[in-house]
Amino acid sequence: MNSINDVLVLQNVNAKIGTFKIRDISFSVYDNEILVVLGENGAGKTKLLETIAGFLPVVSGRIGLFGDDIANKAANERNIGFIFQGLSLFPHLSVKENILYGARFQVIPDLDREFKKLVHLFKLDNFLDRFPKTLSGGEQQKVALARTLITNPKIVLLDEPTSALSPKERERVTIEIKNTLKKLNKSAIFVTHNVEEAHLVGDRIALMENGRILQIGTPNEIFYKPNSKTVATFFGETNIYDGVADAQDKGITAVKVDGLNIFALGKYKQGIKLKVFIRPEDILLKKRLTKTSARNNFKGVVKRISFKGPLARVFVDVGFTVAALITKQSLEELEINRGSSVYISFKITAVHTVEE
Amino acid sequence: MKSREKLTYISFFILGGILLLFIVLPLGRLIFAHSPAIILQELKDKTVLVPIWNSVFLSFVTAFIAIIFGVPLAFLMAKERFGKLEEAVETIVDLPLAVPHTVAGIALLFIFGRQGLLGAFFYNGFGFRITGTRIAVVLAMLFVSLPYIVNSARDGFKKVDISLEKASRSLGASLFSTFRYIYLPLSRDEILSGFLLTWARAISEFGAVIIVAYYPLTAPVKIYDAFTQYNLAVSSAIAAILLVICLSIFLTVRFLVRRKR
């Protein structure tokens, strides 16, 4: 089960916090990987991190860190870095004392050099004697990272570390955190409820809901190949159809949906029931039928148009209803209204199928 | 309408003012009843100086002991470690505030008196009588003043954000180190003001002390003693000195609390 590249391995971990349960969670974090745990508020993301860090007891299951079973170790013996939502800098200690706090309890080889390296890396030279409350959110962020990284943790857990920042700062700091972790070859679990942030930092994303991990994979896998309706709709509404596999040729299957054929990648036995997912942003809308490399082409009538910010969602009835996401500008250029006749097309690779 | 409003305020001010005067007048009169020369004169008298010293020193020792036993208890209470017994523990801690002090003294006598549970053990085993000693004074003071340090320290610990504890633990600190380096310094003001309140309460204790240890005299007992011997001069001089000491402690607490806000 353990591969040499596994830094952290969770096997069937269960935990109970009041009435909330962490249910049977298994996953691995690989060397130098940032795994994002993505989920709505209340999904149990923080509780999962706290279970790994040792703040919450494990009911059953195994947590392996570089091969050691740490599930029953005290939090201070796990050597796991933790960046808290509110950063939790010690208010009565200066920046320097904050960063050096961990050195009071463990021997850090080359402490002086390590300290200087991190202070330099985070450009904290001028803040060392200041106290946390006099720092900006971004500066506090850096102190929290330096304080954790100086103890050379085996893995870093970050609990919505940018939630206290302004939206403008957030993206910059998120990228900074990612680059720092990569530069120092640190594996990390990064918790967020923000989809864009998840895509920005995650080598892989684990989608969490109600104490369970629903799916784990690269951002593209999660986004384009959801293994369930819940995952598919997490990133906004998507086109989901019930279909039946029909003829198959050279790895391309025709899937019958309401009597029409949608071509998709995959070798399925004829007659097998499939769920078909197509992201609305992968659907091309046209006024006229033009030559296209896309295998799936349909003619239909615009039933409804709804707006969300700069985007328009166009619902086209082609026999079944297809939602397409286009910019308002394209909508105007296309001169599409309710009742317009349109053509839609999408590539075979845009169609994702899951056996039921 | 306007004048009715004024009238209300004026009458309230008069009533409230009378109350304030009722507090300030006797205390002020007492402090200034004696010229500093007479007070100094009294202080040279050993029978006056020793009880004052007893009160100041033994109450200080009491507050110190209260910290050693009270702060750990306060920490357990703040961390809700008693589970279902939480409320029971809180009630027990506050009990000394509700018990009349002479009653507390009698109760202590049942434990530490010559025939008391522990007192008999010490008396029969080592020939040592607890009552009537400085130890008895401290025990009586401790009983009535403990709630102040426990409650104050508990409030201080409760105010420390739990995530600071987690941060400390994740950085390798044991629970005790976290207590030592995070909880104690961040609750310093509450513990200090709890210490001063305990001290002030202990210094003023009369009822429990007089029952378990009439001698060695503490200042309140000496005041009573002199008063019953119709020596109001000595009695009031000691009272004035004790008042000044208590006021200094009280004002220090006020200052500490205000600085925090």
Side-chain angles (χ1 to χ4, degrees):
Chain A
M1 183 100 188
N2 276 19
S3 121
I4 197 96
N5 287 324
D6 290 347
V7 169
L8 181 77
V9 183
L10 270 70
Q11 282 172 3
N12 310 102
V13 170
N14 286 281
K16 197 167 170 279
I17 310 95
T19 55
F20 189 86
K21 281 180 181 147
I22 295 280
R23 295 158 205 255
D24 206 32
I25 288 186
S26 298
F27 64 76
S28 296
V29 182
Y30 306 130
D31 192 22
N32 199 14
E33 180 194 42
I34 301 178
L35 174 71
V36 165
V37 175
L38 177 64
E40 311 270 1
N41 289 332
K45 309 184 297 290
T46 299
K47 296 195 166 75
L48 175 63
L49 284 197
E50 299 209 331
T51 306
I52 297 171
F55 305 139
L56 295 172
V58 174
V59 172
S60 68
R62 189 180 170 277
I63 304 176
L65 187 61
F66 283 104
D68 283 345
D69 189 354
I70 57 163
N72 294 313
K73 277 192 176 179
N76 51 311
E77 286 163 359
R78 296 193 183 196
N79 201 4
I80 290 178
F82 206 116
I83 303 291
F84 295 85
Q85 203 164 4
L87 302 177
S88 301
L89 297 178
F90 304 129
H92 59 302
L93 301 178
S94 69
V95 167
K96 186 178 178 181
E97 289 167 326
N98 261 285
I99 297 174
L100 289 174
Y101 186 80
R104 300 183 194 194
F105 314 107
Q106 51 203 301
V107 180
I108 295 168
D110 268 328
L111 179 61
D112 250 17
R113 220 185 56 200
E114 244 351 81
F115 177 74
K116 278 181 189 139
K117 189 180 97 184
L118 287 168
V119 167
H120 182 74
L121 177 67
F122 291 112
K123 302 185 180 68
L124 288 170
D125 308 72
N126 297 324
F127 300 105
L128 291 178
D129 294 325
R130 300 251 300 260
F131 281 83
K133 67 176 176 209
T134 69
L135 303 180
S136 74
E139 288 155 3
Q140 290 189 19
Q141 187 83 51
K142 291 173 177 178
V143 178
L145 276 168
R147 182 179 72 172
T148 297
L149 290 170
I150 201 165
T151 62
N152 194 22
K154 290 183 175 143
I155 188 169
V156 183
L157 312 181
L158 304 101
D159 186 10
E160 310 220 6
T162 60
S163 56
L165 301 176
S166 66
K168 215 174 135 190
E169 260 185 312
R170 195 172 297 157
E171 191 175 312
R172 180 177 58 76
V173 172
T174 304
I175 294 168
E176 270 176 18
I177 291 175
K178 179 182 181 170
N179 291 343
T180 308
L181 292 169
K182 291 293 178 193
K183 197 169 169 180
L184 300 172
N185 289 321
K186 285 289 167 206
S187 305
I189 300 179
F190 188 109
V191 156
T192 182
H193 65 261
N194 183 312
V195 175
E196 280 101 66
E197 203 169 75
H199 281 79
L200 214 53
V201 287
D203 294 316
R204 286 188 302 151
I205 295 175
L207 207 66
M208 194 168 183
E209 191 189 71
N210 197 18
R212 292 176 210 278
I213 299 282
L214 299 176
Q215 187 177 359
I216 189 162
T218 63
N220 276 339
E221 280 169 357
I222 295 268
F223 199 61
Y224 290 110
K225 295 176 184 169
N227 65 2
S228 66
K229 199 174 164 178
T230 326
V231 175
T233 51
F234 187 87
F235 303 101
E237 273 185 55
T238 191
N239 296 299
I240 303 172
Y241 308 106
D242 292 315
V244 180
D246 201 12
Q248 187 231 116
D249 181 35
K250 290 174 192 155
I252 295 170
T253 304
V255 185
K256 274 252 179 301
V257 175
D258 288 346
L260 298 167
N261 273 336
I262 294 178
F263 295 99
L265 280 179
K267 295 178 180 175
Y268 293 106
K269 263 200 204 134
Q270 215 162 3
I272 269 181
K273 284 186 176 176
L274 296 169
K275 275 250 184 280
V276 181
F277 302 100
I278 310 162
R279 305 269 345 147
E281 51 271 45
D282 286 340
I283 289 173
L284 199 64
L285 268 185
K286 289 171 297 188
K287 274 295 257 219
R288 273 174 291 281
L289 186 62
T290 50
K291 211 169 149 19
T292 164
S293 63
R295 279 286 298 273
N296 293 298
N297 295 285
F298 299 93
K299 186 173 194 251
V301 177
V302 174
K303 271 173 36 185
R304 188 161 65 88
I305 301 172
S306 68
F307 295 97
K308 196 184 172 193
L311 296 176
R313 200 177 277 271
V314 183
F315 296 87
V316 183
D317 185 3
V318 299
F320 46 86
T321 303
V322 181
L325 201 62
I326 60 173
T327 62
K328 264 187 191 166
Q329 201 184 357
S330 326
L331 187 74
E332 275 165 27
E333 278 172 16
L334 283 165
E335 297 177 333
I336 297 174
N337 299 304
R338 231 180 91 183
S340 299
S341 268
V342 290
Y343 292 89
I344 64 160
S345 60
F346 48 91
K347 293 181 174 173
I348 289 177
T349 50
V351 183
H352 173 57
T353 46
V354 179
E355 273 185 53
E356 280 193 74
Chain B
M1 200 65 204
K2 202 82 186 152
S3 66
R4 293 290 287 272
E5 199 174 286
K6 235 183 190 168
L7 192 69
T8 308
Y9 271 125
I10 287 170
S11 49
F12 281 21
F13 265 118
I14 289 170
L15 289 169
I18 289 171
L19 198 66
L20 292 175
L21 270 180
F22 178 64
I23 298 168
V24 171
L25 207 61
L27 296 180
R29 173 79 184 89
L30 176 59
I31 290 176
F32 297 108
H34 307 276
S35 72
I38 292 178
I39 296 215
L40 272 176
Q41 185 72 35
E42 288 292 342
L43 276 174
K44 278 181 191 153
D45 181 354
K46 267 222 156 125
T47 63
V48 171
L49 191 62
V50 169
I52 289 174
W53 169 246
N54 279 345
S55 275
V56 174
F57 176 68
L58 295 178
S59 58
F60 186 82
V61 170
T62 299
F64 192 75
I65 294 171
I67 274 201
I68 290 170
F69 287 93
V71 167
L73 177 61
F75 187 69
L76 292 175
M77 290 169 78
K79 302 265 91 196
E80 290 168 11
R81 283 280 142 183
F82 287 102
K84 284 181 181 142
L85 295 176
E86 199 68 49
E87 205 139 320
V89 172
E90 274 178 32
T91 309
I92 291 171
V93 165
D94 284 342
L95 270 185
L97 301 176
V99 175
H101 296 160
T102 41
V103 174
I106 299 285
L108 285 171
L109 215 51
F110 272 101
I111 302 296
F112 298 105
R114 200 153 26 119
Q115 282 144 27
L117 277 176
L118 283 171
F121 171 74
F122 280 102
Y123 188 69
N124 299 332
F126 309 97
F128 176 68
R129 215 186 58 179
I130 297 176
T131 49
T133 65
R134 288 185 164 77
I135 293 172
V137 173
V138 169
L139 287 172
M141 285 177 167
L142 193 60
F143 190 89
V144 297
S145 64
L146 242 170
Y148 294 96
I149 182 69
V150 175
N151 289 331
S152 187
R154 185 197 59 201
D155 291 349
F157 291 142
K158 270 209 165 145
K159 257 187 258 161
V160 176
D161 188 344
I162 180 79
S163 77
L164 295 181
E165 174 184 332
K166 290 175 181 167
S168 168
R169 297 303 297 275
S170 80
L171 292 166
S174 64
L175 179 62
F176 183 76
S177 296
T178 303
F179 172 75
R180 160 87 183 70
Y181 293 111
I182 304 298
Y183 279 104
L184 275 189
L186 286 175
S187 313
R188 196 193 54 195
D189 287 350
E190 283 85 357
I191 292 173
L192 190 57
S193 81
F195 175 84
L196 290 170
L197 285 169
T198 303
W199 190 18
R201 183 66 198 80
I203 215 174
S204 63
E205 181 50 25
F206 171 72
V209 169
I210 200 169
I211 285 174
V212 297
Y214 196 99
Y215 293 101
L217 292 172
T218 61
V221 179
K222 173 72 184 172
I223 290 167
Y224 173 76
D225 191 63
F227 177 73
T228 51
Q229 287 163 30
Y230 306 104
N231 196 344
L232 192 61
V234 172
S235 181
S236 63
I238 304 172
I241 296 164
L242 193 60
L243 178 59
V244 170
I245 294 170
C246 289
L247 280 180
S248 333
I249 300 175
F250 178 69
L251 292 176
T252 312
V253 175
R254 294 287 299 206
F255 172 74
L256 278 174
V257 171
R258 257 189 47 199
R259 193 189 57 175
K260 217 167 46 225
R261 290 202 195 115

Short mmCIF file of all heavy atoms in Angstrom, two decimals, chain A residues 50 55 74-76 80 82 84 88-92 101-102 104-106 147-148 151, chain B residues 161 163-175 177-178 181-183 185-186:
data_model
loop_
_atom_site.label_atom_id
_atom_site.label_comp_id
_atom_site.label_asym_id
_atom_site.label_seq_id
_atom_site.Cartn_x
_atom_site.Cartn_y
_atom_site.Cartn_z
N GLU A 50 -7.37 18.77 11.36
CA GLU A 50 -7.09 18.68 12.79
C GLU A 50 -6.92 17.24 13.25
O GLU A 50 -6.19 16.97 14.19
CB GLU A 50 -8.22 19.37 13.58
CG GLU A 50 -8.32 20.85 13.23
CD GLU A 50 -8.86 21.70 14.37
OE1 GLU A 50 -9.64 21.17 15.17
OE2 GLU A 50 -8.48 22.88 14.44
N PHE A 55 -5.04 17.17 16.76
CA PHE A 55 -5.87 17.96 17.67
C PHE A 55 -7.19 17.26 17.96
O PHE A 55 -7.88 17.57 18.92
CB PHE A 55 -6.17 19.35 17.09
CG PHE A 55 -4.94 20.11 16.71
CD1 PHE A 55 -4.89 20.86 15.54
CD2 PHE A 55 -3.82 20.08 17.53
CE1 PHE A 55 -3.74 21.55 15.19
CE2 PHE A 55 -2.67 20.78 17.19
CZ PHE A 55 -2.63 21.52 16.01
N ALA A 74 0.94 12.29 20.20
CA ALA A 74 0.51 13.62 20.61
C ALA A 74 0.83 14.62 19.50
O ALA A 74 1.75 14.40 18.70
CB ALA A 74 1.24 14.04 21.89
N ALA A 75 0.06 15.69 19.44
CA ALA A 75 0.21 16.67 18.36
C ALA A 75 1.63 17.21 18.28
O ALA A 75 2.16 17.41 17.18
CB ALA A 75 -0.78 17.82 18.57
N ASN A 76 2.26 17.40 19.44
CA ASN A 76 3.60 18.00 19.40
C ASN A 76 4.68 17.00 19.03
O ASN A 76 5.84 17.36 18.89
CB ASN A 76 3.93 18.68 20.74
CG ASN A 76 3.70 17.76 21.92
OD1 ASN A 76 2.65 17.14 22.04
ND2 ASN A 76 4.69 17.65 22.78
N ILE A 80 4.22 17.96 12.24
CA ILE A 80 3.37 18.39 11.14
C ILE A 80 3.17 19.90 11.27
O ILE A 80 2.79 20.38 12.33
CB ILE A 80 2.00 17.67 11.21
CG1 ILE A 80 2.18 16.19 10.87
CG2 ILE A 80 1.01 18.33 10.25
CD1 ILE A 80 0.90 15.37 10.96
N PHE A 82 1.35 23.47 10.68
CA PHE A 82 -0.07 23.82 10.56
C PHE A 82 -0.18 25.34 10.40
O PHE A 82 0.32 26.09 11.23
CB PHE A 82 -0.83 23.37 11.81
CG PHE A 82 -2.29 23.10 11.57
CD1 PHE A 82 -2.82 21.82 11.72
CD2 PHE A 82 -3.15 24.12 11.19
CE1 PHE A 82 -4.16 21.56 11.50
CE2 PHE A 82 -4.50 23.88 10.97
CZ PHE A 82 -5.01 22.59 11.12
N PHE A 84 -2.91 28.21 10.35
CA PHE A 84 -4.31 28.32 10.77
C PHE A 84 -5.03 29.41 9.97
O PHE A 84 -4.42 30.33 9.45
CB PHE A 84 -4.39 28.64 12.26
CG PHE A 84 -3.85 27.53 13.11
CD1 PHE A 84 -2.49 27.43 13.37
CD2 PHE A 84 -4.70 26.56 13.60
CE1 PHE A 84 -2.00 26.39 14.13
CE2 PHE A 84 -4.20 25.51 14.37
CZ PHE A 84 -2.85 25.43 14.63
N SER A 88 -2.99 32.73 13.79
CA SER A 88 -2.65 32.38 15.17
C SER A 88 -1.21 32.70 15.55
O SER A 88 -0.52 31.88 16.15
CB SER A 88 -2.92 30.90 15.44
OG SER A 88 -4.26 30.62 15.21
N LEU A 89 -0.77 33.87 15.19
CA LEU A 89 0.55 34.30 15.68
C LEU A 89 0.40 34.60 17.17
O LEU A 89 -0.66 35.02 17.62
CB LEU A 89 1.00 35.55 14.93
CG LEU A 89 1.21 35.34 13.42
CD1 LEU A 89 1.62 36.65 12.77
CD2 LEU A 89 2.27 34.28 13.17
N PHE A 90 1.49 34.39 17.92
CA PHE A 90 1.42 34.64 19.36
C PHE A 90 1.50 36.14 19.61
O PHE A 90 2.51 36.77 19.30
CB PHE A 90 2.56 33.90 20.07
CG PHE A 90 2.57 32.42 19.78
CD1 PHE A 90 3.72 31.78 19.35
CD2 PHE A 90 1.40 31.67 19.92
CE1 PHE A 90 3.72 30.42 19.07
CE2 PHE A 90 1.39 30.31 19.65
CZ PHE A 90 2.55 29.69 19.22
N PRO A 91 0.43 36.73 20.16
CA PRO A 91 0.37 38.19 20.24
C PRO A 91 1.39 38.80 21.19
O PRO A 91 1.75 39.97 21.04
CB PRO A 91 -1.06 38.46 20.73
CG PRO A 91 -1.50 37.19 21.37
CD PRO A 91 -0.78 36.08 20.66
N HIS A 92 1.86 37.99 22.18
CA HIS A 92 2.78 38.54 23.17
C HIS A 92 4.23 38.37 22.78
O HIS A 92 5.12 38.72 23.54
CB HIS A 92 2.52 37.89 24.53
CG HIS A 92 2.70 36.39 24.52
ND1 HIS A 92 1.99 35.57 23.68
CD2 HIS A 92 3.51 35.59 25.23
CE1 HIS A 92 2.36 34.32 23.88
NE2 HIS A 92 3.28 34.29 24.81
N TYR A 101 9.88 30.22 17.97
CA TYR A 101 9.15 29.53 19.05
C TYR A 101 9.42 28.03 19.04
O TYR A 101 9.69 27.44 20.09
CB TYR A 101 7.65 29.80 18.91
CG TYR A 101 6.83 29.24 20.05
CD1 TYR A 101 6.75 29.90 21.26
CD2 TYR A 101 6.13 28.03 19.91
CE1 TYR A 101 6.00 29.39 22.31
CE2 TYR A 101 5.38 27.52 20.96
CZ TYR A 101 5.32 28.20 22.15
OH TYR A 101 4.58 27.70 23.19
N GLY A 102 9.35 27.42 17.86
CA GLY A 102 9.52 25.97 17.77
C GLY A 102 10.91 25.51 18.21
O GLY A 102 11.09 24.39 18.68
N ARG A 104 12.47 26.31 20.74
CA ARG A 104 12.56 26.09 22.19
C ARG A 104 12.35 24.62 22.53
O ARG A 104 12.75 24.17 23.59
CB ARG A 104 11.48 26.88 22.92
CG ARG A 104 11.54 28.36 22.72
CD ARG A 104 10.46 29.02 23.57
NE ARG A 104 10.27 30.40 23.18
CZ ARG A 104 9.59 31.29 23.91
NH1 ARG A 104 9.05 30.92 25.05
NH2 ARG A 104 9.45 32.52 23.49
N PHE A 105 11.68 23.89 21.65
CA PHE A 105 11.26 22.54 22.02
C PHE A 105 11.91 21.45 21.20
O PHE A 105 11.71 20.29 21.45
CB PHE A 105 9.73 22.43 21.89
CG PHE A 105 9.04 23.60 22.50
CD1 PHE A 105 8.44 24.56 21.71
CD2 PHE A 105 9.02 23.75 23.87
CE1 PHE A 105 7.83 25.66 22.27
CE2 PHE A 105 8.40 24.85 24.45
CZ PHE A 105 7.81 25.81 23.65
N GLN A 106 12.63 21.83 20.17
CA GLN A 106 13.31 20.81 19.39
C GLN A 106 14.62 21.38 18.86
O GLN A 106 14.77 22.58 18.70
CB GLN A 106 12.43 20.36 18.23
CG GLN A 106 11.88 21.50 17.40
CD GLN A 106 10.62 21.09 16.66
OE1 GLN A 106 10.65 20.16 15.88
NE2 GLN A 106 9.52 21.77 16.90
N ARG A 147 7.45 30.66 10.74
CA ARG A 147 7.40 30.02 12.05
C ARG A 147 7.20 28.50 11.91
O ARG A 147 7.78 27.72 12.66
CB ARG A 147 6.23 30.62 12.84
CG ARG A 147 6.09 30.08 14.24
CD ARG A 147 4.95 30.74 14.97
NE ARG A 147 3.66 30.31 14.46
CZ ARG A 147 2.49 30.61 15.03
NH1 ARG A 147 2.46 31.40 16.08
NH2 ARG A 147 1.36 30.18 14.53
N THR A 148 6.39 28.10 10.94
CA THR A 148 6.14 26.68 10.74
C THR A 148 7.31 26.01 10.02
O THR A 148 7.77 24.94 10.41
CB THR A 148 4.85 26.50 9.93
OG1 THR A 148 3.78 27.01 10.69
CG2 THR A 148 4.60 25.04 9.60
N THR A 151 10.73 24.70 11.64
CA THR A 151 10.79 23.43 12.35
C THR A 151 10.95 22.25 11.39
O THR A 151 10.93 21.11 11.81
CB THR A 151 9.51 23.20 13.18
OG1 THR A 151 8.40 23.16 12.28
CG2 THR A 151 9.29 24.30 14.19
N ASP B 161 -7.20 32.31 22.81
CA ASP B 161 -7.74 31.63 21.63
C ASP B 161 -7.17 30.21 21.54
O ASP B 161 -5.97 30.01 21.58
CB ASP B 161 -7.35 32.43 20.38
CG ASP B 161 -8.03 31.91 19.12
OD1 ASP B 161 -8.55 30.78 19.16
OD2 ASP B 161 -8.04 32.65 18.13
N SER B 163 -6.78 28.34 19.15
CA SER B 163 -5.89 28.07 18.01
C SER B 163 -4.43 28.40 18.38
O SER B 163 -3.51 27.87 17.77
CB SER B 163 -6.33 28.84 16.78
OG SER B 163 -5.96 30.19 16.88
N LEU B 164 -4.22 29.28 19.37
CA LEU B 164 -2.85 29.55 19.81
C LEU B 164 -2.27 28.31 20.48
O LEU B 164 -1.09 27.99 20.30
CB LEU B 164 -2.81 30.73 20.77
CG LEU B 164 -3.22 32.08 20.21
CD1 LEU B 164 -3.11 33.16 21.27
CD2 LEU B 164 -2.37 32.46 19.00
N GLU B 165 -3.10 27.61 21.22
CA GLU B 165 -2.65 26.36 21.83
C GLU B 165 -2.29 25.35 20.75
O GLU B 165 -1.25 24.70 20.80
CB GLU B 165 -3.76 25.79 22.74
CG GLU B 165 -3.40 24.41 23.29
CD GLU B 165 -4.51 23.78 24.11
OE1 GLU B 165 -5.32 24.53 24.70
OE2 GLU B 165 -4.60 22.54 24.14
N LYS B 166 -3.16 25.26 19.75
CA LYS B 166 -2.90 24.31 18.66
C LYS B 166 -1.61 24.68 17.92
O LYS B 166 -0.81 23.80 17.58
CB LYS B 166 -4.08 24.28 17.69
CG LYS B 166 -5.32 23.65 18.30
CD LYS B 166 -6.48 23.75 17.35
CE LYS B 166 -7.74 23.13 17.97
NZ LYS B 166 -8.93 23.50 17.20
N ALA B 167 -1.45 25.98 17.67
CA ALA B 167 -0.23 26.42 16.98
C ALA B 167 0.99 26.02 17.79
O ALA B 167 1.96 25.48 17.26
CB ALA B 167 -0.26 27.93 16.76
N SER B 168 0.92 26.27 19.10
CA SER B 168 2.04 25.94 19.97
C SER B 168 2.33 24.44 19.93
O SER B 168 3.49 24.02 19.80
CB SER B 168 1.72 26.40 21.39
OG SER B 168 2.63 25.86 22.30
N ARG B 169 1.28 23.63 20.01
CA ARG B 169 1.47 22.19 19.99
C ARG B 169 2.08 21.73 18.66
O ARG B 169 2.98 20.91 18.62
CB ARG B 169 0.14 21.45 20.21
CG ARG B 169 -0.53 21.67 21.55
CD ARG B 169 0.34 21.30 22.73
NE ARG B 169 0.70 19.89 22.79
CZ ARG B 169 -0.05 18.93 23.33
NH1 ARG B 169 -1.20 19.23 23.88
NH2 ARG B 169 0.36 17.68 23.35
N SER B 170 1.58 22.31 17.56
CA SER B 170 2.08 21.87 16.25
C SER B 170 3.54 22.26 16.08
O SER B 170 4.25 21.70 15.26
CB SER B 170 1.22 22.46 15.12
OG SER B 170 1.58 23.79 14.86
N LEU B 171 4.01 23.25 16.85
CA LEU B 171 5.41 23.66 16.75
C LEU B 171 6.30 22.86 17.71
O LEU B 171 7.48 23.17 17.88
CB LEU B 171 5.54 25.16 17.02
CG LEU B 171 4.91 26.05 15.95
CD1 LEU B 171 4.77 27.48 16.45
CD2 LEU B 171 5.73 26.01 14.67
N GLY B 172 5.71 21.86 18.35
CA GLY B 172 6.52 20.95 19.15
C GLY B 172 6.41 21.14 20.65
O GLY B 172 7.06 20.44 21.41
N ALA B 173 5.59 22.11 21.10
CA ALA B 173 5.49 22.36 22.53
C ALA B 173 4.57 21.35 23.19
O ALA B 173 3.49 21.08 22.67
CB ALA B 173 4.99 23.78 22.79
N SER B 174 4.98 20.81 24.33
CA SER B 174 4.11 19.91 25.09
C SER B 174 2.99 20.73 25.71
O SER B 174 3.00 21.96 25.64
CB SER B 174 4.92 19.24 26.19
OG SER B 174 5.36 20.23 27.11
N LEU B 175 2.03 20.05 26.33
CA LEU B 175 0.94 20.77 26.98
C LEU B 175 1.48 21.70 28.06
O LEU B 175 1.08 22.85 28.17
CB LEU B 175 -0.07 19.78 27.58
CG LEU B 175 -1.24 20.45 28.31
CD1 LEU B 175 -2.06 21.29 27.35
CD2 LEU B 175 -2.12 19.42 28.99
N SER B 177 4.52 23.04 28.33
CA SER B 177 5.22 24.17 27.71
C SER B 177 4.23 25.18 27.15
O SER B 177 4.44 26.39 27.22
CB SER B 177 6.14 23.68 26.58
OG SER B 177 7.14 22.86 27.10
N THR B 178 3.13 24.67 26.59
CA THR B 178 2.11 25.56 26.05
C THR B 178 1.46 26.38 27.17
O THR B 178 1.22 27.58 27.04
CB THR B 178 1.04 24.75 25.31
OG1 THR B 178 1.68 23.99 24.29
CG2 THR B 178 -0.01 25.65 24.67
N TYR B 181 4.34 28.91 28.25
CA TYR B 181 4.77 29.98 27.33
C TYR B 181 3.62 30.71 26.64
O TYR B 181 3.82 31.78 26.08
CB TYR B 181 5.71 29.41 26.27
CG TYR B 181 7.02 28.94 26.83
CD1 TYR B 181 7.34 27.59 26.86
CD2 TYR B 181 7.95 29.85 27.34
CE1 TYR B 181 8.54 27.14 27.39
CE2 TYR B 181 9.15 29.43 27.87
CZ TYR B 181 9.44 28.08 27.90
OH TYR B 181 10.62 27.65 28.42
N ILE B 182 2.44 30.10 26.62
CA ILE B 182 1.31 30.75 25.94
C ILE B 182 0.24 31.17 26.97
O ILE B 182 -0.08 32.36 27.09
CB ILE B 182 0.68 29.82 24.88
CG1 ILE B 182 1.74 29.37 23.87
CG2 ILE B 182 -0.48 30.52 24.18
CD1 ILE B 182 2.38 30.46 23.06
N TYR B 183 -0.28 30.22 27.70
CA TYR B 183 -1.40 30.54 28.60
C TYR B 183 -0.99 31.47 29.74
O TYR B 183 -1.69 32.45 30.03
CB TYR B 183 -2.01 29.26 29.17
CG TYR B 183 -2.97 28.61 28.21
CD1 TYR B 183 -2.62 27.48 27.49
CD2 TYR B 183 -4.23 29.15 28.00
CE1 TYR B 183 -3.50 26.90 26.60
CE2 TYR B 183 -5.12 28.59 27.11
CZ TYR B 183 -4.75 27.45 26.42
OH TYR B 183 -5.62 26.89 25.53
N PRO B 185 1.65 33.68 30.13
CA PRO B 185 1.91 35.09 29.80
C PRO B 185 0.67 35.83 29.29
O PRO B 185 0.49 37.01 29.57
CB PRO B 185 3.00 35.04 28.73
CG PRO B 185 3.22 33.62 28.39
CD PRO B 185 2.54 32.77 29.41
N LEU B 186 -0.18 35.13 28.54
CA LEU B 186 -1.36 35.81 27.99
C LEU B 186 -2.43 36.04 29.07
O LEU B 186 -3.36 36.82 28.86
CB LEU B 186 -1.93 35.03 26.81
CG LEU B 186 -1.11 35.12 25.53
CD1 LEU B 186 -1.68 34.22 24.45
CD2 LEU B 186 -1.06 36.56 25.02
#
